[in-house]
Amino acid sequence: MEHGYSFEPFHAAKHPYVVVQLGEGKSFKFFFPSSASDVRSADNCVSQIKRVIRQRLASNDNEKV
């Protein structure tokens, strides 16, 4: 947790996912592929998580955390 965001892993019926808590009741749910053949999909999901965190850090909402 480089930026201090807490997260919790879960597993749905078909796919694992992570819920990232951004503070003030805001959270994001990111689903990961369940098969090893979906490596690119997993990389894309990690990129999405990083993008949300960068946007959060750049926004005015970050000052309230």
Side-chain angles (χ1 to χ4, degrees):
M1 291 189 334
E2 183 177 326
H3 295 289
Y5 295 104
S6 62
F7 62 92
E8 190 170 353
F10 293 96
H11 197 286
K14 290 187 176 184
H15 301 283
Y17 65 96
V18 173
V19 176
V20 179
Q21 300 296 328
L22 297 177
E24 297 182 8
K26 295 180 182 179
S27 64
F28 287 90
K29 189 182 291 187
F30 296 96
F31 286 87
F32 289 90
S34 58
S35 68
S37 65
D38 287 339
V39 174
R40 185 170 178 179
S41 180
D43 290 342
N44 289 341
C45 189
V46 171
S47 295
Q48 289 175 345
I49 293 170
K50 289 179 179 180
R51 187 177 312 118
V52 168
I53 290 173
R54 278 194 307 270
Q55 289 171 350
R56 173 75 173 163
L57 291 173
S59 73
N60 290 335
D61 291 339
N62 192 42
E63 295 173 10
K64 297 176 186 175
V65 175

